[in-house]
Structures are given as structure tokens and as C-alpha cells.
């Protein structure tokens, strides 16, 4: 057998073995990844829905939402994933809201790739704390019966929030702050429409 044929045989064997190893590792890790993703989802839901002990999915294929219940199976609120474009990439949040759709329980950033030290500060506790107990500017359940997004939340720059539904934008990162607000408003509208059905 000449050198060229030997190289072809060796490379073919290496390629086949590599494919088998990759396929086997994918099969082994797929289950673990799914379990870890489920644990992370549960932790995020319970973090933004204080008092919830169980939850059930109520969302659609394109919008993930959950109904949280206490030990007596009474509704304590709703959690939902808000996802939208930021300055650098996708911002993904888990948000909790009370059953009357009047105020947020909290917001947690699940994923973001904003500029470190600027837009990346949307992940800081100082920024996220603004959403705990934040009263919405309008009653979404009745307002969302029309068309278009409703402005539940707005932001102000360089001053303290004065009105219901206002948060303070991060200095030097208005685009990321605006992206969070826009994504939340759009997702709250989707949730309101879902609950009105």
C-alpha cells in the first residue's frame, strides 16, 4: 500500500472515531444539560415569585410564562421570560408580577452580553432592585385589549424616578437600560394578552 492510500485510510479511521466519540458525548451530556436548564429555570421562577412553592407553564411556543402557586395552590403571581435585543446582543430576563397585574415582584437577568462596566451593569443588584415592587404605570389587563405595546415601564436619566413605572437608567448605558424597558413593556403586553384569553 502506498503512502497516499495509508494516509486516506488513517484519516478515514480518525474521522469515523471522532464522529462516534462526539455523538456518544452528545448523548451522554444532553440529559445533564436539560436537567441543569430545568433547575436554573425553577430557581429563576422562585426567585422572582416570592411565596411560590410550585408553578405550571401557561405560555405559548413563542412566549414562556408560568403561574406560581403557594402551598395551598393559591395563585401568588406570574413569572415570564422577557427576551429582546440589547446594545451588543440578546438580553434575557425572568420577571415576576403580582396576580392583579399592578406591580412587579422582581426581575433577574438570565443572559446578557452588554459592554462590561457600562451596559453590563444591568446585571447588578442596584439596577435589578429598581424592579422589586415597581408599580406599573397602567393596568395592563384592560389596556392590552387594544393593539400595540402598552408603556407599563419607562426610564429617566440623571434624576430619581418620580412617577409609577419609572426606573433610573444606568449612566453611560442608556441604550441597554432602554432595551430592558422596551423588552419588558413588550413582554408585559404579551402576558396581558395571554391572561385575557
Amino acid at each position: 500500500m502506498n503512502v497516499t492510500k495509508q494516509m486516506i485510510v488513517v484519516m478515514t479511521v480518525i474521522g469515523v472515531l471522532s464522529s462516534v466519540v462526539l455523538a456518544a458525548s452528545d448523548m451522554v451530556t444532553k440529559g445533564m444539560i436539560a436537567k441543569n436548564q430545568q433547575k436554573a429555570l425553577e430557581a429563576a421562577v422562585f426567585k422572582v415569585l416570592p411565596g411560590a412553592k410550585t408553578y405550571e407553564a401557561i405560555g405559548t411556543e413563542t412566549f414562556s410564562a408560568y403561574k406560581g402557586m403557594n402551598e395551598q395552590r393559591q395563585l401568588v403571581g406570574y413569572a415570564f421570560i422577557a427576551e429582546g435585543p440589547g446594545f451588543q446582543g440578546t438580553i434575557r430576563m425572568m420577571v415576576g408580577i403580582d396576580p392583579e397585574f399592578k406591580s412587579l415582584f422582581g426581575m433577574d437577568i438570565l443572559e446578557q452580553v452588554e459592554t462590561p462596566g457600562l451596559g453590563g451593569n444591568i446585571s447588578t443588584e442596584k439596577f435589578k432592585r429598581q424592579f422589586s415592587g415597581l408599580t406599573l404605570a397602567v393596568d395592563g389587563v384592560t389596556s392590552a385589549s387594544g393593539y400595540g405595546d402598552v408603556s407599563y415601564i419607562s426610564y429617566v436619566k440623571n434624576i430619581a424616578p418620580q412617577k409609577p413605572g419609572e426606573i433610573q437608567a444606568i449612566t453611560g448605558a442608556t441604550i441597554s437600560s432602554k432595551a430592558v424597558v422596551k423588552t419588558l413593556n413588550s413582554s408585559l403586553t404579551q402576558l396581558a394578552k395571554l391572561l385575557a384569553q
Side-chain angles (χ1 to χ4, degrees):
M1 194 182 291
N2 66 27
V3 175
T4 305
K5 287 182 181 177
Q6 285 179 339
M7 287 177 60
I8 291 171
V9 169
V10 169
M11 296 304 284
T12 302
V13 169
I14 290 173
V16 169
L17 288 175
S18 298
S19 299
V20 169
V21 169
L22 284 173
S25 65
D26 180 56
M27 287 174 56
V28 169
T29 59
K30 194 176 284 188
M32 290 187 289
I33 290 170
K35 282 181 185 176
N36 287 336
Q37 287 175 333
Q38 184 61 33
K39 282 183 184 177
L41 173 70
E42 286 180 11
V45 168
F46 292 135
K47 184 174 183 178
V48 299
L49 283 181
K53 300 298 180 194
T54 61
Y55 69 89
E56 65 182 60
I58 59 168
T60 64
E61 286 184 21
T62 57
F63 182 66
S64 299
Y66 310 91
K67 182 166 63 170
M69 281 86 63
N70 62 16
E71 290 173 346
Q72 293 78 36
R73 303 282 300 157
Q74 297 167 322
L75 179 65
V76 296
Y78 301 98
F80 60 94
I81 294 178
E83 187 173 340
F87 179 64
Q88 298 278 19
T90 300
I91 298 173
R92 198 163 176 256
M93 303 164 271
M94 179 67 78
V95 185
I97 188 168
D98 72 345
E100 290 78 36
F101 215 92
K102 300 286 185 197
S103 65
L104 299 182
F105 286 130
M107 180 271 286
D108 194 30
I109 301 290
L110 302 176
E111 178 185 323
Q112 61 92 5
V113 290
E114 300 300 278
T115 308
L118 292 171
N121 287 341
I122 62 173
S123 292
T124 64
E125 288 304 315
K126 180 180 179 184
F127 182 74
K128 293 188 297 185
R129 213 175 9 250
Q130 295 185 86
F131 296 89
S132 288
L134 182 68
T135 302
L136 301 181
V138 296
D139 176 4
V141 175
T142 56
S143 300
S145 58
Y147 296 99
D149 286 347
V150 178
S151 184
Y152 300 96
I153 301 169
S154 59
Y155 67 93
V156 292
K157 297 191 287 187
N158 303 320
I159 59 169
Q162 308 281 323
K163 300 175 187 171
E166 282 186 343
I167 59 118
Q168 187 174 34
I170 298 169
T171 303
T174 307
I175 294 173
S176 298
S177 302
K178 182 179 180 180
V180 167
V181 167
K182 182 177 180 182
T183 299
L184 284 175
N185 282 329
S186 176
S187 297
L188 283 164
T189 298
Q190 285 182 272
L191 179 64
K193 289 176 181 176
L194 177 68
L195 296 178
Q197 293 177 354

